Amino acid sequence: MVLALTVCGIVVALVVVGLFVFGLRRQLIQRSGGTFDCSLRWDAPEAAGDSGGKGWAYGVARYNGDRVEWFRVFSYALRPRRVLERSAIEVAGRRVPEGEEELALLSDAVILACLHRGTRLELAMSEDALTGFLAWLEAAPPGQRVNVA
């Protein structure tokens, strides 16, 4: 009986510590400001809705100079999973989630189809975050090529 209570107590303590570390990590990422919730689908299919909502990963993106750093939410890593450089992003279009994508993404998400160094990707974010992202893209320093459709 004592052993079972001890094991249960240790499991509960580990879960609480794990959740605390997730929260602490998110605070460290957001500390410098310029963050927004952003789901990402890397190597996205050519046609919208081809994958039935599969491949999306929920994350947090952070502006860092001429780069956007994307972090997975459910990770302990302090380094970004993907780094998108402003000069390498080409916007191909935007759309609303279709079919099963509506279940995989946040309720107010808008999907932005992009190319980054030849890789198709899709970013899903709120309308407000999208407005900020497009403004950031267009605010490139003089002489930089930015392709916004």
Side-chain angles (χ1 to χ4, degrees):
M1 180 69 172
V2 173
L3 180 62
L5 289 175
T6 303
V7 170
C8 287
I10 290 172
V11 169
V12 168
L14 289 174
V15 168
V16 168
V17 167
L19 292 174
F20 176 76
V21 171
F22 271 135
L24 180 64
R25 176 181 169 267
R26 181 150 180 151
Q27 289 299 319
L28 289 173
I29 291 169
Q30 292 180 326
R31 186 165 72 183
S32 63
T35 60
F36 57 98
D37 291 333
C38 178
S39 296
L40 177 125
R41 178 160 55 176
W42 197 257
D43 285 330
E46 291 291 327
D50 276 357
S51 66
K54 294 181 181 150
W56 286 104
Y58 185 62
V60 175
R62 175 177 67 189
Y63 297 109
N64 187 2
D66 284 337
R67 306 177 327 165
V68 168
E69 300 170 333
W70 184 82
F71 300 83
R72 289 181 74 100
V73 167
F74 301 109
S75 171
Y76 292 111
L78 293 175
R79 302 182 90 180
R81 177 78 170 204
R82 301 280 183 200
V83 177
L84 306 175
E85 297 163 5
R86 179 174 13 209
S87 61
I89 298 172
E90 296 179 39
V91 176
R94 65 191 262 184
R95 62 185 179 84
V96 295
E98 301 171 351
E100 293 179 23
E101 283 181 329
E102 293 179 41
L103 301 174
L105 301 172
L106 294 175
S107 61
D108 63 342
V110 177
I111 298 172
L112 189 68
C114 301
L115 282 171
H116 185 264
R117 301 199 186 282
T119 302
R120 276 189 49 80
L121 63 105
E122 292 180 325
L123 301 168
M125 60 191 86
S126 71
E127 189 72 43
D128 291 341
L130 177 63
T131 301
F133 183 79
L134 292 175
W136 174 81
L137 275 178
E138 292 174 358
Q144 266 193 356
R145 177 184 63 90
V146 177
N147 296 318
V148 178

